[in-house]
């Protein structure tokens, strides 16, 4: 049962993970598509104004003079000399030029004020983030023959590491993820004359809540996805609960058969022995013998009827229903031991009853009390390899309780398994135990009876010295 439940749950979890993974993949791809298609109307206004400002400029107003100074005017001839004669010095000078250019551009970047001016002049009040990125710089020593100084995607050790982004060298702005989806303008400015340069740069702009805005546009898809997952989980849970109910019904049927097999044996055996004894001529000579045997048959027949009703109840509910009333424990013990002796007439058993308790009146259910004692006595015989089997049943008073003690000289119960012997269907793996027929239900019924009455049960079993079951029963007040 546990293994099949585990397998069922594992399959369900794997299926659920597969479903959610597919859903997540579809949502992610839908988000990417919506992200690429999402248009900010203000970008057109910004692009037109920005590109107009960049007619005779690059990057931002005033940046052209900075780039001219560091790239074209101060270093271009020295750069040409190193390019032709010393590649290592060319690489070193190139990166130093780029670093000086980047520092000057970031220090004098006025893109913030330009963007603010564009938005205010067009009565746009929404907050935007931007990124101004240098994509590439090439130098030409000869007309239209360009040599790269900076290329986006390459790492330059002498440049600021934080400024080197996948899209290029960050000049200004606080937009964290510039990309094709938030590109405003991408320009390339060049000259056809020798000893000049070509520069490519891009402006990116986006809202603060782009992701949230796109998710809001996707809410029908997200809602449908969540509802479909919840629907699958609900269907699984309903199916799983129905499966558990079916398994419980199946187990109840199995338990019923096992319970009947185990419990019917005792009264049937007593009735069979009593019936056989009635055919004995010597017993029939005395009327009191016949009356005693007919009492046994009547008592055990009544027990059979009760047993069938009780087994049905415990199988259906897993609990036992008690019908308690004030009873004499001693009287019931005498009847139980009389019936038990009839069952084991051919066994060499010394069965003793010591009624040492002065008070023996308690609230008990006669049927379940008999079931409990019968099972303890049965075990005392079955799990006993001694030639002379001794079973002692005794009572004594302890404060406001009646102590019922059932002690035998059997094989005992190892300390390591004493906590398990009251579990349903538990059978120890010792060879002397496995050779004895049984279903592992006897002590389970004992525990059921004790717990239903609210009594206390203790087990004492020293190795090789038999077993003592001590049951504490509250007395009538």
């Amino acid at each position: 049962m546990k293994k099949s439940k585990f397998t069922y749950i594992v399959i369900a979890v794997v299926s659920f993970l597969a479903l959610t993974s597919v859903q997540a993949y579809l949502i992610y791809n839908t988000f990417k598509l919506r992200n690429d298609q999402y248009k900010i109307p203000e970008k057109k206004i910004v692009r037109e104004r920005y590109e107009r400002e960049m007619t005779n400029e690059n990057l931002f107003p005033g940046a052209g003079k900075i780039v001219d100074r560091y790239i074209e005017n101060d270093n271009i001839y020295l750069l040409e000399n190193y390019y032709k004669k010393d590649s290592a010095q060319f690489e070193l000078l190139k990166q130093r030029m780029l670093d000086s250019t980047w520092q000057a551009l970031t220090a004098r970047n006025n893109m913030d004020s330009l963007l603010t001016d564009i938005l205010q002049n067009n009565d746009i009040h929404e907050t935007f983030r931007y990124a101004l990125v240098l994509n590439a710089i090439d130098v030409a020593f000869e007309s239209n023959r360009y040599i790269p100084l900076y290329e986006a995607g390459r790492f330059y050790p002498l440049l600021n590491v934080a400024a080197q982004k996948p899209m290029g060298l960050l000049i200004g702005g606080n937009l964290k993820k510039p990309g094709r989806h938030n590109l405003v303008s991408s320009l390339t400015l060049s000259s056809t004359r020798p000893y000049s340069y070509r520069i490519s740069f891009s402006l990116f702009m986006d809202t603060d809540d782009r992701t949230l805005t796109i998710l809001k546009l996707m809410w029908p898809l997200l809602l449908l996805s969540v509802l479909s997952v919840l629907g699958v989980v609900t269907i699984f849970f309903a199916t799983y609960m129905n499966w558990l109910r079916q398994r419980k019904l199946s187990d109840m049927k199995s338990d019923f058969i096992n319970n009947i097999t185990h419990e019917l044996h005792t009264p049937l055996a007593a009735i069979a022995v009593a019936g056989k004894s009635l055919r004995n001529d010597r017993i029939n000579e005395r009327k009191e013998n016949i009356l005693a045997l007919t009492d046994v048959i009547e008592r055990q027949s009544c027990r059979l009827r009760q047993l069938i009703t009780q087994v049905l109840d415990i199988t259906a509910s897993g609990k036992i229903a008690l019908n308690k009333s004030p009873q004499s424990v001693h009287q019931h013990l005498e009847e139980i031991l009389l019936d038990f002796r009839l069952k084991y007439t051919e066994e060499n058993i010394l069965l003793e009853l010591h009624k040492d308790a002065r008070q023996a009146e308690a609230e008990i259910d006669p049927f379940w009390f008999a079931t409990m004692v019968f099972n303890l006595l049965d075990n005392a015989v079955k799990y006993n390899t001694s030639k002379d089997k001794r079973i002692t049943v005794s009572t004594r008073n302890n404060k406001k309780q009646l102590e019922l003690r059932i002690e035998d000289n059997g094989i005992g119960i190892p300390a390591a398994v004493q906590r398990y012997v009251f579990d349903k269907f538990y059978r120890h793996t010792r060879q002397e135990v496995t050779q004895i027929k049984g279903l592992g239900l006897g002590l389970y019924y004992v525990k059921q009876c004790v717990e239903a009455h609210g009594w206390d049960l203790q087990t004492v079993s020293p190795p090789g010295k038999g077993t003592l079951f001590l049951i504490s029963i509250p007395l009538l007040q």
Side-chain angles (χ1 to χ4, degrees), residues 1-14 236 240 243-244 247:
M1 174 67 173
K2 290 183 178 179
K3 185 177 180 180
S4 59
K5 284 175 64 177
F6 177 77
T7 304
Y8 191 96
I9 292 173
V10 167
I11 293 174
V13 170
V14 171
F236 161 73
Y240 179 70
W243 177 77
L244 287 181
R247 286 300 300 264

Side-chain angles (χ1 to χ4, degrees), residues 144-161:
N144 291 325
R145 293 185 63 182
Y146 290 99
I147 299 165
L149 294 184
Y150 173 79
E151 296 176 278
R154 288 186 57 190
F155 179 72
Y156 296 84
L158 298 184
L159 291 178
N160 185 286
V161 175

Side-chain angles (χ1 to χ4, degrees), residues 182-194:
N182 49 32
L183 177 65
V184 175
S185 178
S186 183
L187 301 173
T188 299
L189 304 178
S190 63
S191 174
T192 58
R193 62 185 174 80

Side-chain angles (χ1 to χ4, degrees), residues 385-443:
T385 57
S386 302
K387 184 178 180 180
D388 296 319
K389 300 175 182 179
R390 296 194 308 276
I391 305 174
T392 303
V393 180
S394 60
T395 63
R396 70 178 183 182
N397 292 125
N398 182 8
K399 298 181 179 179
K400 296 182 179 180
Q401 291 186 327
L402 171 71
E403 289 187 353
L404 173 60
R405 302 165 62 93
I406 300 178
E407 189 172 5
D408 63 63
N409 64 336
I411 61 176
I413 306 172
V417 300
Q418 286 185 19
R419 58 181 296 188
Y420 304 111
V421 294
F422 295 100
D423 293 345
K424 186 187 288 189
F425 305 124
Y426 178 80
R427 298 272 291 165
H428 191 42
T429 55
R430 285 192 303 176
Q431 184 177 1
E432 61 267 36
V433 174
T434 56
Q435 292 177 349
I436 300 171
K437 292 182 179 180
L439 297 169
L441 289 170
L443 291 182

Side-chain angles (χ1 to χ4, degrees), residues 104-310:
L105 288 172
T106 54
R108 299 182 187 180
N109 172 40
N110 57 18
M111 194 61 213
D112 293 87
S113 58
L114 176 60
L115 185 59
T116 301
D117 181 64
I118 296 172
L119 296 176
Q120 288 179 350
N121 288 339
N122 290 275
D123 199 26
I124 300 172
H125 303 288
E126 191 170 353
T127 302
F128 292 94
R129 295 178 183 271
Y130 81 95
L132 184 59
V133 176
L134 175 62
N135 305 121
I137 297 181
D138 305 318
V139 66
F141 303 127
E142 301 176 17
S143 180
N144 291 325
R145 293 185 63 182
Y146 290 99
I147 299 165
L149 294 184
Y150 173 79
E151 296 176 278
R154 288 186 57 190
F155 179 72
Y156 296 84
L158 298 184
L159 291 178
N160 185 286
V161 175
Q164 298 186 60
K165 305 294 183 181
M167 303 297 294
L169 195 61
L170 181 65
I171 303 302
N174 56 0
L175 183 62
K176 293 182 179 180
K177 295 181 179 181
R180 184 168 55 88
H181 58 278
N182 49 32
L183 177 65
V184 175
S185 178
S186 183
L187 301 173
T188 299
L189 304 178
S190 63
S191 174
T192 58
R193 62 185 174 80
Y195 297 102
S196 62
Y197 63 89
R198 180 174 61 190
I199 184 169
S200 298
F201 53 94
S202 300
L203 175 64
F204 302 88
M205 187 181 77
D206 213 338
T207 59
D208 281 338
D209 57 351
R210 180 186 182 90
T211 300
L212 181 60
T213 302
I214 295 173
L215 290 176
K216 286 180 179 178
L217 294 173
M218 293 173 56
W219 75 264
L221 175 63
L222 294 174
L223 180 61
L224 181 62
S225 178
V226 171
L227 290 177
S228 64
V229 171
L230 289 177
V232 170
V233 171
T234 302
I235 292 172
F236 161 73
F237 182 75
T239 305
Y240 179 70
M241 295 305 295
N242 183 62
W243 177 77
L244 287 181
R245 284 192 292 270
Q246 295 298 324
R247 286 300 300 264
K248 183 178 180 181
L249 288 174
S250 177
D251 291 343
M252 285 167 56
K253 292 178 182 177
S254 299
D255 286 352
F256 175 77
I257 295 172
N258 292 331
N259 296 343
I260 286 291
T261 302
H262 181 273
E263 287 299 315
L264 293 187
H265 184 266
T266 297
L268 284 174
I271 292 172
V273 172
K276 184 178 179 180
S277 299
L278 285 173
R279 293 195 296 270
N280 190 311
D281 293 335
R282 287 185 300 173
I283 294 177
N284 288 334
E285 291 176 355
R286 301 181 62 183
K287 184 178 180 180
E288 58 270 21
N289 290 340
I290 297 175
L291 291 175
L293 290 172
T294 54
D295 286 343
V296 170
I297 293 174
E298 182 180 359
R299 196 161 49 242
Q300 294 304 321
S301 298
C302 180
R303 176 171 168 76
L304 274 176
R305 288 193 299 270
Q306 289 181 300
L307 182 61
I308 293 173
T309 301
Q310 294 284 358

Side-chain angles (χ1 to χ4, degrees), residues 82-83 85-95 158:
Y82 284 149
Y83 177 73
K85 296 180 180 181
D86 192 337
S87 60
Q89 286 296 324
F90 172 78
E91 186 67 27
L92 182 62
L93 178 59
K94 177 181 75 173
Q95 292 196 46
L158 298 184

